[in-house]
């Protein structure tokens, strides 16, 4: 399966051999050297740590942390919006943005696999009293008509009015698909006429603008609020920023305190986000290339498991089908880890891998060969 990069062992062994010693006894898993479970596993490098250690700080609840303020202003300007709000997590940024746009008792519309509805612990309903409905896309491809066909205008005391449409870009659970800018413009034009807001869950928005080859500021033209995560592909250790109009962000700032998200000398972590925005966005195309390399190797070894043409950014979803039927995706992940590669299990026969700045070209090549060998079995 290729030469294992430094820190890994057992190159050339079969999956079974990797987990069993010659006497047949189970042997410990190899030291993990390539972690592809998510791009959230990145660790700050020496330069980022130095920037964090040197950051000027103040009490952010009083609005006195200069590094936090710089991050908020720089992010908002980058996205073409008026103001920003630093949040400890992407889930909080999404909840604050949607809550600021969506009164209790109204609804948000989103795609059926949307992160805001599947992976944020029900916070929008539990904390903000917001209901939701979903549309199902074809392979994660965003079509404005899918959302617009579901809009429920106000007027009936029995029906829940639509206040907000949320679009995820890139779409995590659909394998990092990129929302077409033309479709986002169609959505914005139609919702604006009907008084409906648009929230853009841009957890991996930097991957989207890199893949689409557009300026980040164009997204401020198609959404009222945008969340962008700093701790995924951008590589900061923690934090997201919510951007929007000055009025909306002021409301979100009050909600952040209510939700327990007020922070004091947060400039130490905000400095990591500033460094990430300034230095790590331009290299995301490398992650995309590494993901396609892995996808192409797996597709060649196991036709139908991956469609390389659908790998638009840094996420690869492997559909094992009836392969590995005895243990399914869990068995695949265990054997991958024995070869020094970690992946996520999304379902009984589905695994996901995500490339990031801590994965070199050499490591991507090794992972491609190892995972292709396993997928072919």
């Amino acid at each position: 399966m290729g030469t294992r990069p430094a820190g890994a062992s057992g190159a050339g062994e079969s999956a079974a051999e990797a987990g069993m010693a010659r006497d047949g006894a189970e042997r410990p898993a190899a030291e993990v050297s390539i972690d592809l479970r998510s791009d959230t596993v990145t660790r700050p490098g020496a330069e980022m740590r130095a920037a964090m250690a040197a950051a000027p700080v103040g009490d952010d609840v009083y609005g006195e942390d200069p590094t936090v303020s710089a991050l908020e202003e720089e992010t908002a300007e980058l996205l073409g919006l008026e103001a920003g709000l630093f949040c400890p997590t992407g889930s909080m940024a999404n909840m604050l943005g949607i809550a600021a746009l969506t009164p209790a008792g109204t609804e948000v519309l989103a795609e059926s696999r949307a992160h805001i509805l599947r992976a944020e612990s029900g916070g929008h309903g539990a904390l903000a009293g917001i209901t939701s409905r979903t549309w199902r896309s074809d392979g994660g491809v965003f079509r404005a008509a899918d959302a617009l066909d579901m809009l429920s205008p106000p007027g009936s005391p029995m029906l829940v009015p639509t206040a907000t449409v949320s679009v995820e870009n890139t779409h995590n659970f659909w394998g990092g698909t990129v929302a077409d800018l033309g479709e986002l413009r169609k959505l914005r034009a139609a919702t604006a006429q009907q008084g409906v807001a648009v929230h853009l869950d841009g957890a991996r928005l930097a991957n989207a603008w890199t893949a689409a080859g557009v300026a980040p500021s164009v997204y401020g033209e198609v959404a009222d609020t945008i969340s962008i995560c700093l701790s995924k592909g951008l590589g900061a250790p923690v934090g997201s920023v919510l951007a929007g109009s000055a009025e909306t962000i002021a409301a979100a700032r009050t909600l952040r305190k209510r939700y327990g998200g007020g922070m004091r000398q947060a400039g130490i972590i905000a400095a990591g986000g500033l460094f990430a925005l300034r230095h790590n966005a331009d290299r995301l195309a490398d992650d995309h290339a590494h993901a396609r390399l892995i996808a192409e190797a797996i597709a060649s070894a196991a036709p139908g498991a991956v469609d390389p043409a659908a790998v638009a950014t840094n996420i690869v979803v492997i559909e094992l089908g009836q392969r590995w039927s005895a243990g399914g995706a869990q068995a695949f992940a265990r054997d991958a880890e024995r070869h020094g590669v970690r992946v996520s299990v999304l379902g009984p026969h589905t695994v996901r891998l995500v490339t990031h700045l801590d994965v070199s070209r050499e490591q991507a090549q090794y992972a491609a060969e190892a995972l292709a060998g396993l997928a072919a079995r």
Side-chain angles (χ1 to χ4, degrees), residues 111 135 137-143 146 171 174 177-180 183:
E111 204 276 332
W135 71 86
S137 64
D138 181 8
V141 176
F142 174 68
R143 293 175 62 253
D146 291 336
H171 199 314
W174 276 111
T177 56
V178 178
D180 179 74
E183 291 295 314

Side-chain angles (χ1 to χ4, degrees), residues 116-136:
I116 66 163
L117 302 181
R118 291 191 66 196
E120 295 182 1
S121 301
H124 301 274
L127 299 179
I130 296 169
T131 66
S132 61
R133 286 186 297 137
T134 63
W135 71 86
R136 184 171 180 83

Side-chain angles (χ1 to χ4, degrees), residues 43 72 80 93 197 216 285 362 364:
R43 298 178 183 181
E72 292 172 341
E362 179 191 15

Side-chain angles (χ1 to χ4, degrees), residues 148-321:
L148 295 173
D149 287 347
M150 295 181 62
L151 292 184
S152 176
S156 169
M158 296 179 292
L159 300 179
V160 179
T162 304
T164 305
V165 176
S166 178
V167 180
E168 188 172 337
N169 194 23
T170 69
H171 199 314
N172 181 2
F173 291 120
W174 276 111
T177 56
V178 178
D180 179 74
L181 188 58
E183 291 295 314
L184 290 172
R185 286 174 171 148
K186 289 179 186 177
L187 176 72
R188 177 64 165 182
T191 53
Q193 290 180 351
Q194 300 193 49
V196 173
V198 175
H199 172 73
L200 186 59
D201 175 2
R204 292 183 174 89
L205 190 62
N207 294 92
W209 78 57
T210 298
V214 300
S217 59
V218 301
Y219 293 106
E221 301 170 5
V222 296
D224 295 276
T225 52
I226 301 174
S227 68
I228 181 168
C229 184
L230 306 169
S231 64
K232 291 187 170 68
L234 292 173
V238 65
S240 290
V241 175
L242 175 71
S245 69
E247 181 181 5
T248 300
I249 294 303
R253 191 176 295 276
T254 298
L255 289 172
R256 187 186 68 172
K257 189 70 170 68
R258 184 177 301 160
Y259 285 12
M263 296 177 285
R264 301 299 179 178
Q265 289 72 35
I268 294 171
I269 53 176
L274 266 175
F275 185 95
L277 276 179
R278 292 171 178 173
H279 299 283
N280 291 346
D282 289 344
R283 56 149 310 279
L284 289 173
D286 295 340
D287 297 341
H288 301 175
H290 296 163
R292 286 191 292 274
L293 184 158
I294 296 171
E296 287 167 0
I298 295 171
S300 179
V306 177
D307 177 8
V311 178
T313 53
N314 66 326
I315 300 176
V316 180
V317 176
I318 307 171
E319 296 292 350
L320 298 169

Side-chain angles (χ1 to χ4, degrees), residues 42-46 48-49 52 235-237 358:
T42 57
R43 298 178 183 181
M48 182 181 288
R49 288 175 184 267
M52 294 169 69
D358 286 350

